Amino acid sequence: MTVYQATASAPVNIACIKYWGKRDTKLILPTNSSLSVTLDQDHLRSTTTSRADPSFQKDRLWLNGEEEEIKDGGRLATCIKEMKALRRELEDKDSSLPKISGYPVHICSRNNFPTAAGLASSASGFAALVASLAALYQLPTDASRLSLIARQGSGSACRSLFGGFVAWQMGEKPDGSDSYAVQVAPREHWPDIHALICVVSDDKKGTSSTSGMQRTVETSTLLQHRIKHVVPERMRAISEAILARDFDTFARITMQDSNQFHAVALDTDPPIFYMNDVSRAIIALIVEYNRVAVANGGKLKAAYTYDAGPNAVIYAPKENIKEIVELIVKYFPQADSFKDPFGLFSGKGVTGKVVDGFNEAVAKPFGVGAVKNLIHTRVGDGPRTLGAEETLLGENGLPK
Ligand code: DP6
C-alpha cells in the first residue's frame, strides 16, 4: 500500500520593517507591508511531517510531542482546509492523480530551538506546515501562492516561504488575494548579512502579538501616522538598500523601524512594553559601537531590532560579529561558552572587550544570565523538502 507522506523544514524570519496591525483579523490582512530577513535553517528551523491516510479518523497535529487541538474555523484548520482545496483542484483536472485530498491528515512538527528561548516559532511553524502539505500533495511550488495560506496561520509566517530578503505586500483587496510574500533578493545576493540573537531572560508573561497589535489598531493614533506616512517610504528605501548591498541605510532603517514599532506599542491604551532594561542596554551598546565607527570616518556597523519580547536580534556584516560578541559578553557575562558555528574565535574563548574609543559608561554591566544565550546565524534559504529518513511520524502514523 502506498504511504502518502512528506517532510519539510522552514526557517525563522526576523522583520526589519515590522508587521503590527490587522485590517482583517480572520483573513490576517495587515495594515502595512513588512520586510524581513530569513535566518539560516542550519541553526533555527521547524520541521514538519504530514501524512494523508484513509484509515485516519480525523485531522490531528502534534507540536514538540504534544497534541494540539485543531479547532473548527481556527488558524490550523483554515491552513489545512486551504491546502486540501489546492490538492482537490489538481485532482479535478487530472483524473490519474490519487484522490488523497479527502483523506484525514496527521501532522507532526518540531522546532530545533526551545520554545522557552522566546523566539517566535509561529512563523517557521506555519511555513513548515504549509511546505510539508505542499510536498505531500505535490502542488506546483509557487511560494507566493503558498504564502497566502501560511499568512492565515500567522501573518509573519508568509515571509518564511522564501529565503533571503522578503517583503509581505499588504495588498488592498478585501478577499486578501493580493496580500502575499515576494522575494526582494535571494540570500546569495547578500550572504554577508549575519545575525546575533541575544536571548534575554524574561519571567513575566508578555502580551501576545495577536492581541497586542489589535489593541494598538483600536487605540493608537501614532499607528495611523506610521501606516500612512512612514512605512511605504521605508519599504521602498530598504528594498533599494538591499539591492545595492548598502548596509548603512539598511541598518539605519531597521533600527528606526524597531524603535517605531515599540513606540506604537507604548502608544497603545493601556501601554505595552516589550523591551526591558537589558534590551535597552543592548541598544545603548550598539548605538555607541556605531558612534565610534562613524567618528572614525566609517559607516554603521550593526543594527538592532526587537519583536514582541525583550530579545535583541543584531544584524551585521560577518566581519563585525566577532567584535559584537566581545562587546555583548563584556556587559552580559555568559554561563556557557559561546557556541561558535562560524569559527570566529578559532577555539579561543571570548574574553569580553570593547573597541578602541568606546565609552564604557553608556551601560552598566549585568550579572550572569541577564542574556541567557547568544545564537550566531546568518541569512538563509527558504523551505526545504526533506528525505523519507527525516520523517517525524512512525509507521503507525503517530509521532515517533
Ligand atoms: C512583532 O505574525 O506573530 O514579530 O498574525 O497574529 O499571528 P499574528 O502575529 P505574528 O506577529 C509578528 C509581529 C512581529 C513583527 C513581524 O514579525 O513583522
Side-chain angles (χ1 to χ4, degrees), residues 15 18-19 22 28 75 154-156 159 209-210 213 261 307:
K18 303 296 186 189
Y19 149 52
K22 295 181 183 71
I28 311 195
R75 293 171 169 207
S154 182
S156 55
R159 298 185 310 239
S209 309
T210 307
M213 72 174 77
F261 155 49
D307 281 345

Side-chain angles (χ1 to χ4, degrees), residues 13-22 25 28-29 32-36 75 120-123 126 150-159 168 208-214 226 257 261-262 274 305-309:
N13 74 75
I14 300 291
C16 297
I17 305 293
K18 303 296 186 189
Y19 149 52
W20 196 253
K22 295 181 183 71
T25 52
I28 311 195
L29 301 178
N32 62 258
S33 295
S34 56
L35 184 143
S36 56
R75 293 171 169 207
S121 57
S122 67
F126 276 102
R151 187 201 76 219
Q152 298 174 62
S154 182
S156 55
C158 75
R159 298 185 310 239
W168 172 11
S208 78
S209 309
T210 307
S211 71
M213 72 174 77
Q214 214 36 42
R226 165 172 172 73
D257 207 72
F261 155 49
H262 291 276
Y274 286 122
T305 187
Y306 295 79
D307 281 345

Side-chain angles (χ1 to χ4, degrees), residues 328-336 365-372:
I328 299 293
V329 168
K330 173 153 175 92
Y331 285 83
F332 301 99
Q334 298 292 295
D336 302 317
F366 284 71
V368 175
V371 171
K372 278 188 288 190

